[in-house]
Amino acid sequence: TPVSKICSKCSLIVHWHLQLIPTSIMSSVKLLYFPIKGRAEPIRICLNHAGIEFENAFMKNWSEEKLSTPGQALPTLTIDGVTITQSAAIARYAAKKAGLYPADDMQALICDEAVDCSQDALTALLNARGENAEETQQKRLETFNGKVKVMCDVVQMRLDASSSGWISGENISLADIVFSVCLASMISSGFFGPEFVSWMGDNYPKLDELVSRVNDSEVIQKWNAKQENKA
């Protein structure tokens, strides 16, 4: 009927206008993590690049809040009262909003692979703990020579096969950001011990160069500038 056609057109017009409204206006967004960079930093970077205003909240009483936190893990992202867990899923959502996730299915698969490799390597290092400092460092050495090397070999393989100089696609993506910010930067910061600070550069100079490219990118510089303005 004519009325139904008019309603259909109105619906399309409303939908079109909603697409033009920035996500920052449409949603209340809160990212919750510990007061460190860690697994939440790529999410912060992507949300910022997407122009999404968000509350960058820090957990204060984890021992008290853990049981009531979905998945009993951080980070979480709350959008209009709906709380989402799992850092990789949240990072992927934020990267898509920011245009930092490949549109091509194959490149998206490679991106996901690199993200998971980086996260697996980081998890292995964080779990490498002993009864004392000496035992912990021995376990970390074994982890670097084992799990971390295996995961970095995969990322190196993808970078070697890429013509763009990025892990997946023609531009910087979530894969480059997670590898650089989550894994490589924590290693070079000395978090796992001063003896491992140069490990990435010594063993994977091409991946070390990638980290420098990521740090010099507009995406990272934009986030760093925002943090400097807040200081």
Side-chain angles (χ1 to χ4, degrees), residues 31-230:
L31 178 65
L32 179 62
Y33 195 58
F34 304 107
I36 58 174
K37 292 183 176 181
R39 300 181 196 273
E41 192 71 354
I43 302 169
R44 298 180 184 120
I45 291 167
C46 290
L47 289 175
N48 180 68
H49 194 68
I52 299 174
E53 291 296 327
F54 65 99
E55 180 185 352
N56 190 22
F58 300 123
M59 175 61 68
K60 297 179 179 178
N61 300 301
W62 180 234
S63 59
E64 297 178 9
E65 300 290 338
K66 183 177 180 178
L67 291 178
S68 61
T69 300
Q72 297 184 19
L74 293 178
T76 61
L77 185 71
T78 302
I79 304 174
D80 291 340
V82 179
T83 300
I84 306 297
T85 186
Q86 295 297 329
S87 61
I90 298 170
R92 192 177 302 115
Y93 166 84
K96 288 179 179 180
K97 291 293 186 183
L100 295 170
Y101 189 79
D104 178 79
D105 287 344
M106 188 63 191
Q107 292 304 317
L109 182 60
I110 292 173
C111 178
D112 289 346
E113 176 190 49
V115 168
D116 288 346
C117 284
S118 302
Q119 295 280 24
D120 284 356
L122 178 59
T123 298
L125 283 172
L126 292 173
N127 289 336
R129 295 188 295 269
E131 296 296 327
N132 51 57
E134 183 178 352
E135 187 176 326
T136 293
Q137 289 309 92
Q138 179 58 36
K139 285 184 177 293
R140 285 175 176 171
L141 177 60
E142 293 171 358
T143 304
F144 270 105
N145 292 332
K147 186 69 172 182
V148 179
K149 185 179 185 304
V150 170
M151 294 296 99
C152 285
D153 283 347
V154 175
V155 179
Q156 176 75 67
M157 176 176 63
R158 299 308 176 200
L159 189 60
D160 287 340
S162 171
S163 61
S164 67
W166 302 108
I167 295 172
S168 65
E170 296 301 313
N171 301 294
I172 185 174
S173 74
L174 181 64
D176 308 292
I177 296 170
V178 171
F179 176 82
S180 300
V181 174
C182 276
L183 180 60
S185 67
M186 284 194 71
I187 294 173
S188 64
S189 72
F191 183 87
F192 299 109
E195 62 268 49
F196 301 118
V197 166
S198 63
W199 186 88
M200 190 66 70
D202 293 341
N203 294 277
Y204 297 92
K206 191 170 182 179
L207 290 180
D208 203 43
E209 291 175 9
L210 172 68
V211 174
S212 296
R213 285 191 72 193
V214 171
N215 289 335
D216 290 339
S217 69
E218 178 192 356
V219 176
I220 301 299
Q221 293 300 316
K222 186 177 176 181
W223 172 245
N224 290 341
K226 185 171 185 177
Q227 299 314 295
E228 290 173 3
N229 290 336
K230 287 183 177 180

